[in-house]
């Protein structure tokens, strides 16, 4: 395994212009994690970095993780394996299913195991990893979504990347972050790095009951952030209003979005801005968490 992965690519910070932001006199910039790499996209790169460094230090022969059949996380892991020369295995939810993401995983050399739905539900049990550790001795196991202290640490550098580019945008400072939250790991990284200096708003792509609040609290404490409902009836659900909003936003801003995370997060921001949650003159950084490969699953 080569160690060039330890240097993270720089994500561009760009002006983000939408008519409803302008109308509310809210200024926004967008940190384009979708542009850091053609293969290893978005926040997943930041979350994986610590795990890769760990695997390298431990001379692990490979890495193994789990996700669904459109998973951006497995996609990024398989891409990193291919790029940096280590083996990968993916544990998938449900029965064997052919999706553009699954075909990519195979093409990138990831070994796939389908767990069924019951098998996947067992992923939080204490002994879940034992049979896989026996089957893949010495491999590094990454829990769902990369949600560990390693993942949080990697995401903290997202804040540095944005702050290094503020001056180029003509900004002396900003007021808050807005981003999509799935497991809440990326959000936790931002909260840790900000340490209260700027507010962090997480738009939940999953229902409240899914424990994101507890995850973020465990990883980053209970202050410095706010969670907003954004899932529109469930994780992975989309509806005509959402898709129309995403298409309109892409047209107006020139920024490609996928519906399930960044689209839902932007729609939740739209609702808050319309409700007057941000005073005129507020400066926001919207985090583009990437994931555009997943669009092929529903378009
Ligand atoms: C995985 C993912 C998220 C969620 O990240 P968490 O760290 O799990 O909260 C957000 N946006 C996109 C595009 C993703 O793929």
């Amino acid at each position: 395994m080569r160690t060039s992965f330890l240097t993270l690519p720089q994500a561009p910070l760009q002006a983000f212009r939408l008519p409803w932001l302008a109308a509310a006199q809210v200024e926004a910039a967008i940190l384009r994690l979708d542009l850091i790499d053609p293969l290893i996209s978005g926040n997943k790169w930041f979350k994986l970095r610590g795990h890769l460094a760990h695997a390298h230090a431990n001379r692990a022969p490979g890495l193994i993780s789990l996700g669904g059949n459109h998973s951006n996380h497995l996609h990024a892991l398989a891409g990193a394996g291919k790029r940096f020369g280590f083996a990968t295995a993916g544990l998938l939810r449900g029965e064997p299913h052919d999706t553009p993401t699954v075909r990519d995983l195979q093409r990138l050399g990831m070994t796939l195991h389908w767990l069924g739905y019951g098998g996947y539900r067992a992923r939080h049990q204490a002994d879940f990893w034992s049979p896989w550790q026996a089957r893949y001795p010495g491999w590094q196991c990454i829990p769902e979504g990369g949600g560990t202290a390693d993942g949080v640490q990697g995401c903290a550098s997202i804040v540095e990347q944005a702050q290094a580019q503020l001056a180029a945008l003509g900004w002396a400072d900003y007021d808050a972050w807005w981003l999509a939250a799935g497991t809440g790991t990326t959000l936790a990284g931002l909260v840790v790095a900000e340490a209260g200096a700027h507010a962090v708003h997480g738009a939940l792509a999953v229902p409240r009951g899914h424990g994101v609040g507890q995850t973020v609290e465990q990883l980053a404490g209970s202050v410095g952030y706010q969670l907003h409902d954004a899932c529109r009836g469930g994780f992975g659900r989309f509806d005509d209003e959402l898709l129309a909003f995403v298409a309109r936003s892409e047209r107006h801003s020139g920024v490609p979005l996928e519906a399930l995370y960044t689209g839902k997060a932007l729609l939740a921001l739209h609702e808050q801005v319309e409700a007057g949650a941000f005073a005129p003159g507020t400066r926001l950084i919207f985090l583009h968490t990437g994931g555009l490969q997943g669009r092929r699953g529903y378009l």
Side-chain angles (χ1 to χ4, degrees):
M1 197 193 288
R2 287 183 284 126
T3 54
S4 40
F5 57 78
L6 293 173
T7 319
L8 274 172
Q10 171 75 57
L13 182 69
Q14 304 171 340
F16 191 34
R17 295 194 183 88
L18 288 161
W20 46 272
L21 288 168
Q25 295 175 51
V26 171
E27 267 192 272
I30 183 166
L31 187 65
R32 301 282 305 271
L33 303 190
D34 59 312
L35 293 179
I36 55 176
D37 190 285
L39 192 54
I40 315 167
S41 169
N43 62 332
K44 300 305 183 284
W45 208 162
F46 289 82
K47 290 207 280 187
L48 280 174
R49 183 184 181 222
H51 294 285
L52 298 185
H54 226 124
H56 182 71
N58 294 337
R59 299 175 192 279
L63 289 95
I64 181 166
S65 193
L66 66 182
N69 58 32
H70 301 295
S71 170
N72 293 326
H73 167 67
L74 287 182
H75 200 271
L77 179 63
K82 175 87 173 171
R83 171 83 52 81
F84 301 115
F86 57 86
T88 57
L91 310 180
L92 283 117
R93 179 177 52 230
E95 302 307 325
H97 195 78
D98 190 30
T99 68
T101 306
V102 167
R103 279 196 292 277
D104 279 356
L105 299 181
Q106 289 165 331
R107 189 173 52 77
L108 293 166
M110 180 175 259
T111 305
L112 304 184
H113 301 277
W114 295 87
L115 301 190
Y117 290 97
Y120 197 81
R121 266 196 298 278
R123 67 194 179 280
H124 300 306
Q125 288 171 11
D127 56 357
F128 174 81
W129 287 104
S130 315
W132 299 107
Q133 278 163 337
R135 183 159 179 171
Y136 292 100
W139 283 41
Q140 169 127 353
C141 305
I142 307 177
E144 191 178 41
T148 63
D150 275 343
V152 170
Q153 208 48 51
C155 291
S157 59
I158 292 171
V159 171
E160 282 165 42
Q161 289 209 351
Q163 291 182 351
Q165 299 176 77
L166 287 178
L169 211 66
W171 287 16
D173 202 359
Y174 57 99
D175 298 291
W177 286 91
W178 192 280
L179 75 153
T183 62
T185 311
T186 308
L187 172 77
L190 265 52
V191 172
V192 166
E194 287 288 3
H198 302 97
V200 183
H201 294 272
L204 293 170
V206 298
R208 283 239 178 220
H210 280 212
V212 179
Q214 289 97 302
T215 303
V216 179
E217 194 164 337
Q218 265 168 26
L219 296 169
S222 56
V223 294
Y225 61 93
Q226 235 176 292
L227 300 178
H228 304 268
D229 290 316
C231 81
R232 303 182 70 82
F235 176 66
R237 298 257 180 95
F238 51 86
D239 53 80
D240 291 344
E241 188 192 340
L242 172 69
L243 295 180
F245 174 80
V246 167
R248 223 169 29 245
S249 304
E250 289 183 329
R251 222 171 34 246
H252 285 143
S253 67
V255 176
L257 301 166
E258 47 69 56
L260 305 184
Y261 289 105
T262 47
K264 285 184 177 181
L266 189 61
L267 186 47
L269 174 61
H270 177 251
E271 285 162 9
Q272 290 294 310
V273 167
E274 297 281 279
F278 296 104
T282 300
R283 283 179 165 161
L284 297 176
I285 302 179
F286 184 90
L287 184 64
H288 193 314
T289 39
L292 296 174
Q293 71 84 23
R295 289 200 292 191
R296 299 171 300 174
Y298 61 84
L299 283 180

